Amino acid sequence: MTLHSAFTLRRLGRADLPDFHRVMMQAGMDARSSWNRTTTADLERSLFTDGAGGFVAVDSGGEVVSCVGFGPDGIYTLILNKLAVLPEARGCGLGRQLVAAVEDEARQRGLRRVLLAVSQFNLEVVPFYTALGYAETDEPYVLAYPGSPPPMVMVKAVDRPPLAAVAEEDGR
């Protein structure tokens, strides 16, 4: 795979679980993170429950190179989780595209916001999420792993379409 490969985003299917897990494990998360204890059975339980799901990005050769999960949190919020991009696929905008896909999912469901948690062992990704419009909040994270340091929780309002989409709809 090269950085100039064509990528396709698609909804996660059960057959993608081994590849989803492989991408997570190869993404390079700090060894202290609970992320590294995630199994494919854990993924199946979290990504295939009511209101949950995910997306994968596949390169032109059919290899899953990035992934993201999501799940409901109350009646207004969709939680974004498990965003991972293989090191060799970084810099192509896949992370942004997967975050945007989750935000679109929230909008389509009529939800008001997307919430995510950043591990204390992965704080270097905070500027990425900040650049996408996420802001830190003091809300607790309902999916925090027991025994791990509390994550940084970030949230973004998504109840309105992006300004560019509104302008396009209005013919501007």
Side-chain angles (χ1 to χ4, degrees), residues 5 7 21 27 33 42 61-62 109 117 121 142 145 159 170:
S5 294
F7 299 100
H21 186 260
S33 173
D42 295 332
R109 294 179 183 202
F121 305 116
V142 297
Y145 193 85
D159 55 340
D170 290 345

Side-chain angles (χ1 to χ4, degrees), residues 11 18 39 60 89 92 104 130 150:
R11 284 200 174 271
T39 66
S60 57
C92 298
D104 287 343
T130 301

Side-chain angles (χ1 to χ4, degrees), residues 13-33:
R14 285 189 193 279
D16 295 314
L17 284 173
D19 287 328
F20 195 109
H21 186 260
R22 174 187 52 80
V23 170
M24 283 181 63
M25 295 304 113
Q26 292 178 358
M29 181 64 80
D30 186 292
R32 296 170 292 174
S33 173

